Amino acid sequence: GLAKAVTYRSIAAVPLLHEGNPIGAIAVARANAGSFPKRQIALLQAFADQAVIAIGNVRLFDEVQARTRELSESLEQQTATSEVLKIISSSPGDLKPVFQSMLDNSVRICEAKFGQMFLCEGDKVRAVATLDVPVALVQEDERRG
């Protein structure tokens, strides 16, 4: 069967166990028949144990990285909100810098390429802030006027 097709006569496998649950295995095969020496099996088991530790470390690292990203995003959002509030308080009666700050922070936090903010005025829509809007889009908006 399969052993003849791939020309191995002996196989040894040890499980990768995480908290008693199998999460994988290390398997080796060789052409000659017979059992593997205990020292080789012990080495395979040591490698399996180290692999489980490495997998656990990567998972922990990934979890820490994800949590750090979440906290960083939260801080970034709080900072952006704070910046907008400062501009609101320092620009009474002048909405243009407020809208621009909101848009600038929105584009940055959303990692967008450009942004526009509009206000509805009756049946018309007016751009009140823009950031890095492509020329073709500006021209199209002007054409529609």
Side-chain angles (χ1 to χ4, degrees):
L2 181 61
K4 287 182 181 175
V6 292
T7 66
Y8 64 81
R9 309 261 320 207
S10 299
I11 187 168
V14 295
L16 276 64
L17 299 173
H18 177 68
E19 297 176 352
N21 297 315
I23 61 168
I26 295 178
V28 294
R30 63 179 183 200
N32 52 329
S35 59
F36 287 78
K38 286 183 181 179
R39 64 179 170 31
Q40 290 178 351
I41 300 297
L43 182 63
L44 281 178
Q45 188 60 60
F47 287 157
D49 293 343
Q50 290 172 349
V52 170
I53 291 168
I55 291 166
N57 287 345
V58 168
R59 285 181 181 162
L60 284 174
F61 180 77
D62 289 346
E63 288 172 16
V64 168
Q65 290 293 91
R67 184 68 183 134
T68 300
R69 278 191 299 276
E70 288 171 13
L71 290 172
S72 182
E73 287 172 7
S74 177
L75 179 61
E76 198 174 331
Q77 291 168 1
Q78 289 174 8
T79 302
T81 301
S82 173
E83 288 173 12
V84 169
L85 290 173
K86 275 191 234 171
I87 290 174
I88 288 172
S89 66
S90 69
S91 306
D94 185 8
L95 292 174
K96 184 153 182 54
V98 174
F99 292 154
Q100 194 63 52
S101 177
M102 288 176 176
L103 183 63
D104 293 350
N105 280 291
S106 297
V107 167
R108 182 174 48 81
I109 285 179
C110 295
E111 298 175 359
K113 297 222 182 279
F114 68 92
Q116 293 178 288
M117 181 182 278
F118 300 93
L119 284 182
C120 295
E121 296 172 340
D123 60 349
K124 300 248 183 214
V125 176
R126 178 175 61 98
V128 294
T130 61
L131 182 66
D132 299 331
V133 178
V135 174
L137 185 57
V138 171
Q139 291 170 343
E140 179 62 23
D141 286 347
E142 288 171 354
R143 186 185 66 74
R144 283 191 214 158

